[in-house]
Amino acid sequence: MTFLFIVVGLVLIFDFINGFHDSANSIATIVSTKVLSPISAVALAATFNFLAFLIFPLNVATTIGKGVINPDIVDLTLISSAVMAAIIWNIITWRLGLPSSSSHTLVGGLAGAAIAGSGFNAVILSGVLKIVAFIVIAPIMGMVISFFISVIVIFLVKNYSRWVVDSYFRKLQLISASAFSLGHGGNDAQKSGRKRRTN
């Protein structure tokens, strides 16, 4: 039982580190443009991160819980090893200012712990390859979609003065920051929840 509490504590530490590791992404724009103060921006981000579980299905949790390694080998030792590896890597990349995904860090920690404890057969290769593929596919999709959105926005505002555009876009930043936080919560909040449920 003591070890279980230790593992839960590690998961909560991972959640906290994951939060400050990623929080700047969702609040940087609204803080730098002074739409909101840093404290208000963090409160907005935290609110929508929390509300995400009411909106999004548990696809990420299912992938982390069952799609990366064989669920039959999962125990407290494996989970604690994976989470500790993810915590250490997140801190290193945060300190060095390196772009890093906490989701992929956790997947790597789970796979590494599973291989160390049970061999390569413990890893579900199809699930890992799907995650690896989207490391490449997702940024490309993001660039293409953002290009078309930018073209549409520029076309819509080309006849308005910069002051009018700025007044509207400052309000729209609240929506974009909220949506970003909602999406982040729908992804990242599920990871640790699934680990706790596995136990």
Side-chain angles (χ1 to χ4, degrees):
M1 185 61 70
T2 301
F3 191 31
L4 175 60
F5 285 127
I6 292 172
V7 173
V8 171
L10 286 172
V11 171
L12 292 174
I13 292 170
F14 173 78
D15 277 343
F16 178 75
I17 292 173
N18 181 34
F20 74 67
H21 194 271
D22 295 351
S23 61
N25 297 327
S26 59
I27 68 171
T29 304
I30 53 177
V31 171
S32 63
T33 56
K34 295 182 172 55
V35 171
L36 288 179
S37 68
I39 293 176
S40 298
V42 169
L44 178 75
T47 299
F48 281 93
N49 267 274
F50 178 77
L51 292 175
F53 83 96
L54 298 172
I55 298 171
F56 293 103
L58 300 178
N59 295 335
V60 173
T62 301
T63 299
I64 295 295
K66 296 181 179 179
V68 176
I69 60 175
N70 183 353
D72 295 334
I73 68 164
V74 175
D75 57 19
L76 290 177
T77 302
L78 185 143
I79 292 173
S80 62
S81 300
V83 174
M84 286 179 65
I87 288 171
I88 292 168
W89 184 249
N90 272 349
I91 291 174
I92 291 172
T93 53
W94 170 69
R95 289 291 297 171
L96 296 178
L98 299 174
S100 173
S101 166
S102 297
S103 300
H104 296 137
T105 298
L106 185 59
V107 168
L110 284 170
I115 292 169
S118 304
F120 284 94
N121 291 333
V123 176
I124 301 174
L125 189 59
S126 60
V128 174
L129 288 177
K130 181 170 66 175
I131 293 169
V132 171
F134 271 90
I135 292 176
V136 178
I137 294 171
I140 295 174
M141 289 176 60
M143 286 189 292
V144 172
I145 294 170
S146 64
F147 172 79
F148 284 107
I149 291 175
S150 298
V151 170
I152 293 169
V153 170
I154 290 171
F155 176 78
L156 291 175
V157 304
K158 65 180 181 179
N159 295 322
Y160 295 92
S161 70
R162 59 176 294 190
W163 310 112
V164 172
V165 173
D166 181 70
S167 66
Y168 280 103
F169 272 61
R170 290 176 71 83
K171 298 179 180 69
L172 290 172
Q173 284 178 31
L174 295 172
I175 298 175
S176 65
S178 300
F180 190 106
S181 299
L182 197 65
H184 183 269
N187 175 64
D188 284 41
Q190 295 183 25
K191 295 180 300 194
S192 56
R194 184 69 194 188
K195 291 195 292 292
R196 287 193 288 266
R197 288 179 60 192
T198 302
N199 295 309

